[in-house]
Amino acid sequence: MVSAAAGNNKAFGIDRAANPWSDIPLAEVLLIAGSNCAETFPVLNKFLWQQRDNGGRWIIVDPRETPTARQGDLHLQLKPGTDVALANGMLHVLIEENLIDQAFIDSRTNDWQATRALADDYPPDVASQISGVPAPKIVEAARLYGRAKTAMVMHARGIEHHTNGVNNVLSYINLVLATGKIGKPGSGYGTITGQGNGQGGREHGQKADQLPGQRSILNPEHRKHVCQVWDLPESELPQAGVSVVEMFTKMREGEIRGLLSICNNVMVSLPDINDIRRSLEGLDFYVCIDFFMSEGSRYADVVLPGSAWSEDEGVTCNSEGRVVKINKANNPPGEARADWWIVQEIAQRMGREKYFSFASPREIFEELRIASRGGNADYYGITWEKIEKNNGIFWPCPTEDHPGTPRLFEERFYHGDGKAKFHAIPYNPPNEVPDEEFPLILTSGRVVYQYLSGNQTRRIGFLVEQCPEPYVEVHPETAAKLQIVDGERVRVISRRGEGVFPVLVVRTIRRDTIFIPYHWGEQLAVNQLTNPALDPTSKIPEFKACAARIEKIHSRQLPILGRQRKGASASEVKRG
Amino acid sequence: MEETMFIDPQRCIGCRACVAACRECATHKGYSMIFVDYIDRSETTATMPTVCMHCKEPTCALVCPADAIKVSEDGVVMSALKPRCLDCRNCVNACPFGVPKYNTQIHLQMKCDMCYDRSSEGLKPMCASVCPTGAITFGKYEQIVPLRRTKPVNVHVFGNQKVETKVYLMLPTDAAEVQVGGTETAAPESWIDTQVEHSDKSNEF
């Protein structure tokens, strides 16, 4: 599960962005935490600037001055992993200055008292000490958010990819609930998802503890409903599996012996890839379905060529919770086949043809409609025709004449009593904090030119030229102390591994923090260094904060990577 | 054409989708004629897109000895006419915005022509059609300006030269005109500025 999903479920009883993005321009203030959405979600910027054109203000929480933070009216440049302290500090100010909505708290939420009591421990100077954000800025941010008639809170991986990821999410949700700024036009809350169908992937059983309709595989009623739809004896439905990082631990322990992966380049995208490599090498059998060879698929015994998004049709659910239709533009080339067809063929050869006899994506969707019926993520009333006609439909949509639900929580939340829950969250530091041996905080993220594990974008000459390889951002004062200069190649070392990266000396990062973008594999991967420690609830690893140090190297020690140094994929090198 | 371009550097996220798209305009022969530069990456993430400003009295055309650079009736300054262009590069050196480039491969000066084949028929120029943030916008003054909280400026002062342009820069509300020049020496560039500049060049000419 992802931290946002776990947090949303705990606080609201459902996992979806609360507002359509058409609400963004109506918000007087946007509080955006841990999201460099300028570079990572460019189309969102249209809405942000509409809001700005309406006179709106932005509060941006980020350890770096990203292109998003650069335009913020208020940039809270916190130390990575200290969001709980910052949010609690803001809550303290909101309470102190009576900017909370007591009527909303009383009528629509539970567990306020404990949260209110906890906020007492986080006056701005304490929050400032922990987070490194000046106290007056915390007060200013709280006032700006609290005094606004309408405001939205949005966040992304920057607060979620932590061992405290769920707690980070919950502490920002506390601000939303305390001020009652939710469920109204221009007031609300949402996650900025990280990829196409980032929301849809959280809804219907892609994770090993879920069933369709945002149901739980551990809930007896949920199991019964889905088994009925699938005509499956309940004894054959497994109990909850483990999350992806835990799977790779179990592979090393020998408990998991085989792997089938679809479009998953784990040798770039998982933390501590040296351990991931050992996991893959130790497998008995690894089948990889992908539409390009990747750093991960090199370890596969069998690679099955799948389809790109434009070579198949079906629905995805976007960041707003709007179900949209992807239309097919072309057939998969050569021996490549649609992913669903490959999965079905494998299932049939495993003797499960009874459950896998679909003739088209549409038939699969028709089954999903019924399987999700009555669940939180209810797709039953959504049809392809309705999606086409209305430019997408927001779930839940329980009946065919239901228009869908663009804005959630207008009247009730999704816990049994219809109320939302506060969570009193004390601050805990990240799993690894800087010490004498590793004095810097390493955080990772994305650049605008590359997408996810780079397996698509590192094949496009234009994009490779713009950003051919990862680099390490270092503050000028830190660089001076280390006696390193802009452009110099240095060794970055953590407890798990090391890599050599050119230095980008920039005033746009904190003195105690360094940043490396993550889109590359092998010797160029920041994930040689990142910490695989997991959030106890969401099991998301701590990509965004680990301890590291920088070592100056002499030129003769530079690793010779030849053309690979440029970050180009094999096919790109051949053409070049 | 009443429409023109509005360039708002505040909104630019440096994605260079405009640079990629410019190459695809039918008359651009596969070359991009828009530039996106880091202002100074060591200090800020700010980036600035540069298109032809389409001057009311274009310096490039004034200095052309062959009269190769023509201005359309609606004020769009064109690339040099191939039969006339002398390869002298006067325009490249004279343009106060540094826009025209000389393409050694096809022996022709080339510059942003507001995608005239598209914009003269009501389509947006390629760059404006792909910009995700509105940093590059194409439209009528009355339609764009009232929507924005920025001031459109189209007077630029370079030393003694005052240039009025068809294209507007969107600036903070207290700005009057753009003053360029002065004697301060430029700070050394970050390597990433140079890398992008290099890729711009290899991309183009």
Side-chain angles (χ1 to χ4, degrees):
Chain A
M1 203 187 281
V2 289
S3 298
N8 288 352
N9 277 326
K10 280 187 166 196
F12 304 127
I14 193 170
D15 169 31
R16 207 205 88 180
N19 300 60
W21 281 1
S22 52
D23 269 3
I24 293 174
L26 307 175
E28 284 180 15
V29 171
L30 297 176
L31 169 59
I32 300 176
S35 175
N36 176 13
C37 52
E39 292 198 67
T40 59
F41 212 137
V43 294
L44 171 58
N45 291 267
K46 191 183 98 180
F47 296 91
L48 299 188
W49 280 102
Q50 279 174 4
Q51 185 256 5
R52 203 67 176 273
D53 286 336
N54 291 344
R57 316 277 290 273
W58 301 353
I59 306 167
I60 313 287
V61 182
D62 202 302
R64 299 190 301 138
E65 189 209 277
T66 60
T68 319
R70 181 181 93 229
Q71 294 302 333
D73 295 276
L74 204 50
H75 176 201
L76 310 180
Q77 199 165 5
L78 85 175
K79 198 185 281 187
T82 60
D83 292 85
V84 168
L86 178 68
N88 284 351
M90 284 179 67
L91 185 62
H92 182 100
V93 178
L94 291 172
I95 296 168
E96 191 116 291
E97 309 205 351
N98 199 24
L99 295 170
I100 55 173
D101 183 344
Q102 196 62 50
F104 179 91
I105 294 171
D106 293 342
S107 62
R108 298 198 52 191
T109 68
N110 289 319
D111 303 341
W112 166 240
Q113 283 314 325
T115 304
R116 187 192 172 112
L118 179 98
D120 279 350
D121 301 340
Y122 294 88
D125 56 323
V126 172
S128 168
Q129 242 167 27
I130 299 171
S131 67
V133 178
K137 276 199 170 184
I138 299 176
V139 176
E140 202 186 334
R143 285 179 183 157
L144 195 57
Y145 178 73
R147 288 175 184 170
K149 282 195 201 72
T150 55
M152 285 175 73
V153 173
M154 302 172 90
H155 58 75
R157 306 305 81 69
I159 73 162
E160 297 160 17
H161 282 173
H162 287 280
T163 47
N164 300 310
V166 178
N167 284 350
N168 289 342
V169 171
L170 287 170
S171 56
Y172 283 106
I173 292 178
N174 283 345
L175 301 178
V176 176
L177 295 177
T179 55
K181 292 193 205 318
I182 192 158
K184 288 173 279 197
S187 278
Y189 161 86
T191 313
I192 301 164
T193 52
Q195 57 240 289
N197 208 26
Q199 171 66 33
R202 280 148 57 172
E203 293 167 0
H204 298 295
Q206 188 178 325
K207 309 263 159 50
D209 55 359
Q210 291 178 325
L211 290 172
Q214 245 177 40
R215 289 184 169 91
S216 164
I217 205 162
L218 297 170
N219 181 316
E221 273 174 48
H222 293 179
R223 290 172 68 89
K224 209 171 131 195
H225 169 84
V226 173
C227 283
Q228 251 169 17
V229 176
W230 288 345
D231 193 18
L232 179 77
E234 210 195 301
S235 56
E236 289 192 24
L237 188 68
Q239 291 296 323
V242 295
S243 76
V244 61
V245 177
E246 291 170 304
M247 280 183 211
F248 283 82
T249 312
K250 286 190 183 298
M251 287 175 204
R252 285 195 297 284
E253 290 164 355
E255 194 178 328
I256 293 179
R257 304 304 314 146
L259 172 66
L260 169 69
S261 75
I262 307 179
C263 287
N264 198 348
N265 187 4
V266 291
M267 283 300 292
V268 173
S269 56
L270 289 187
D272 194 4
I273 58 169
N274 293 317
D275 260 358
I276 301 297
R277 182 185 295 113
R278 282 189 276 279
S279 307
L280 292 176
E281 282 174 348
L283 285 172
D284 291 343
F285 192 52
Y286 172 19
V287 185
C288 174
I289 305 175
D290 213 329
F291 54 85
F292 289 129
M293 285 297 282
S294 68
E295 284 82 357
S297 63
R298 286 177 200 165
Y299 296 87
D301 299 284
V302 179
V303 178
L304 301 172
S307 50
W309 62 274
S310 53
E311 293 164 357
D312 198 358
E313 65 175 344
V315 304
T316 67
C317 184
N318 73 10
S319 200
E320 306 171 283
R322 189 201 300 249
V323 182
V324 295
K325 169 94 195 304
I326 305 283
N327 293 321
K328 184 175 176 173
N330 212 341
N331 289 318
E335 292 184 310
R337 295 287 181 275
D339 294 329
W340 67 268
W341 185 88
I342 298 173
V343 171
Q344 181 157 288
E345 290 291 310
I346 293 172
Q348 287 177 0
R349 281 160 180 74
M350 291 167 75
R352 306 295 271 181
E353 55 278 290
K354 181 183 164 200
Y355 305 109
F356 292 86
S357 53
F358 301 103
S360 68
R362 176 148 200 163
E363 281 185 19
I364 300 172
F365 181 69
E366 292 303 322
E367 192 212 70
L368 175 64
R369 284 178 60 201
I370 297 164
S372 70
R373 188 177 194 176
N376 267 349
D378 193 336
Y379 278 28
Y380 182 69
I382 303 176
T383 63
W384 281 12
E385 287 72 25
K386 245 170 103 175
I387 292 172
E388 203 74 42
K389 205 171 137 212
N390 297 287
N391 218 353
I393 298 284
F394 292 82
W395 67 260
C397 180
T399 58
E400 277 188 44
D401 54 3
H402 192 285
T405 317
R407 192 179 300 113
L408 295 178
F409 314 142
E410 287 180 314
E411 272 142 32
R412 63 185 306 277
F413 293 96
Y414 283 73
H415 286 304
D417 59 0
K419 290 185 175 183
K421 267 200 189 102
F422 280 98
H423 290 79
I425 310 284
Y427 167 71
N428 275 309
N431 176 269
E432 208 176 62
V433 289
D435 53 26
E436 228 165 76
E437 198 185 349
F438 298 99
L440 296 165
I441 307 171
L442 167 66
T443 187
S444 65
R446 307 181 185 184
V447 298
V448 68
Y449 310 110
Q450 305 286 352
Y451 182 59
L452 303 181
S453 82
N455 201 24
Q456 296 172 72
T457 46
R458 279 185 284 125
R459 287 166 203 280
I460 299 171
F462 181 84
L463 298 175
V464 172
E465 266 179 12
Q466 305 302 329
C467 190
E469 61 183 331
Y471 47 82
V472 53
E473 287 184 7
V474 182
H475 191 275
E477 286 178 24
T478 313
K481 269 188 213 156
L482 294 164
Q483 297 184 311
I484 54 176
V485 294
D486 192 58
E488 180 176 346
R489 277 171 199 277
V490 295
R491 182 168 285 127
V492 186
I493 306 171
S494 80
R495 287 194 173 81
R496 288 147 298 276
E498 57 179 62
V500 174
F501 303 93
V503 177
L504 186 63
V505 176
V506 286
R507 218 169 277 283
T508 52
I509 193 162
R510 290 176 56 89
R511 289 171 183 78
D512 54 9
T513 305
I514 58 175
F515 167 83
I516 303 175
Y518 94 103
H519 311 276
W520 293 264
E522 307 292 346
Q523 300 99 317
L524 298 174
V526 66
N527 280 332
Q528 298 172 102
L529 288 80
T530 45
N531 189 352
L534 301 180
D535 180 288
T537 313
S538 68
K539 312 290 183 189
I540 213 81
E542 192 142 60
F543 289 110
K544 300 296 189 193
C546 74
R549 72 166 179 268
I550 289 181
E551 270 181 15
K552 200 175 164 73
I553 46 177
H554 301 293
S555 55
R556 66 174 192 280
Q557 287 177 312
L558 279 173
I560 299 160
L561 302 177
R563 303 193 72 164
Q564 261 188 26
R565 190 184 63 77
K566 277 303 212 179
S569 69
S571 60
E572 190 64 35
V573 169
K574 232 177 265 164
R575 240 185 305 140
Chain B
M1 128 188 45
E2 287 175 73
E3 292 94 343
T4 184
M5 307 269 275
F6 298 85
I7 309 295
D8 185 346
Q10 282 188 85
R11 298 184 184 223
C12 181
I13 58 171
C15 68
R16 296 181 170 81
C18 51
V19 179
C22 183
R23 304 176 300 178
E24 293 176 18
C25 187
T27 56
H28 292 186
K29 302 179 168 64
Y31 297 101
S32 184
M33 285 175 273
I34 182 169
F35 311 96
V36 177
D37 301 292
Y38 284 111
I39 306 299
D40 180 355
R41 183 60 191 90
S42 61
E43 292 293 327
T44 168
T45 51
T47 44
M48 169 80 192
T50 303
V51 294
C52 176
M53 299 299 286
H54 298 283
C55 306
K56 302 256 158 96
E57 283 187 353
T59 313
C60 58
L62 292 174
V63 299
C64 178
D67 198 14
I69 300 169
K70 295 296 185 187
V71 183
S72 75
E73 274 175 23
D74 32 26
V76 177
V77 184
M78 301 296 174
S79 282
L81 295 168
K82 179 136 174 78
R84 294 189 178 203
C85 181
L86 301 172
D87 308 357
C88 74
R89 309 185 198 193
N90 270 8
C91 54
V92 175
N93 293 318
C95 172
F97 302 99
V99 166
K101 297 287 174 210
Y102 182 74
N103 187 330
T104 47
Q105 280 170 20
I106 55 175
H107 295 286
L108 185 65
Q109 176 259 32
M110 292 180 79
K111 60 176 282 301
C112 157
D113 57 359
M114 220 183 258
C115 290
Y116 199 68
D117 56 329
R118 294 171 56 85
S119 53
S120 59
E121 296 197 350
L123 291 170
K124 288 179 184 178
M126 291 303 286
C127 55
S129 73
V130 298
C131 180
T133 65
I136 303 170
T137 309
F138 182 76
K140 290 180 183 164
Y141 188 97
E142 318 81 71
Q143 284 171 345
I144 307 292
V145 174
L147 293 178
R148 301 276 180 103
R149 297 207 167 210
T150 41
K151 183 173 176 179
V153 171
N154 72 335
V155 177
H156 313 260
V157 181
F158 298 87
N160 295 327
Q161 189 187 10
K162 197 173 215 178
V163 180
E164 199 182 328
T165 59
K166 181 178 171 73
V167 174
Y168 290 87
L169 272 183
M170 303 300 263
L171 296 177
T173 42
D174 51 353
E177 53 188 21
V178 180
Q179 298 265 1
V180 184
T183 50
E184 77 269 36
T185 44
E189 282 190 336
S190 166
W191 61 267
I192 206 161
D193 301 298
T194 323
Q195 175 180 295
V196 166
E197 205 169 282
H198 176 78
S199 98
D200 266 0
K201 286 200 181 100
S202 67
N203 224 345
E204 283 139 38
F205 314 136

